Amino acid sequence: YGGSGSGGWRVLQPAYPAGAEAVLTDVACPSPAQCVAVGDYDYTTGELPFADVWNGRQWRLLRMPDGP
């Protein structure tokens, strides 16, 4: 989400480990300042899950059991 008063969406780069190619599979945004995005990324050890949280200003990578 990228509302910032505009009430619209905009594309933002999610957070995921450097050197990885990520694919988002789902996103939920109950408010402009609260989103969760999940997906997976290809890394040297194979495909691993990741989740990001949006706080209204930036994405933050969450630690996953089998991820970074």
Side-chain angles (χ1 to χ4, degrees):
Y1 196 83
S4 125
S6 67
W9 290 88
R10 66 179 175 183
V11 176
L12 299 171
Q13 181 66 40
Y16 56 85
E21 185 175 318
V23 176
L24 290 176
T25 55
D26 207 354
V27 63
C29 298
S31 76
Q34 186 181 35
C35 290
V36 175
V38 295
D40 55 49
Y41 65 96
D42 287 328
Y43 204 59
T44 57
T45 56
E47 228 173 68
L48 297 171
F50 79 96
D52 286 342
V53 174
W54 175 253
N55 66 7
R57 289 189 233 160
Q58 65 183 14
W59 288 103
R60 181 175 55 91
L61 183 65
L62 295 178
R63 292 194 61 88
M64 299 291 288
D66 296 319

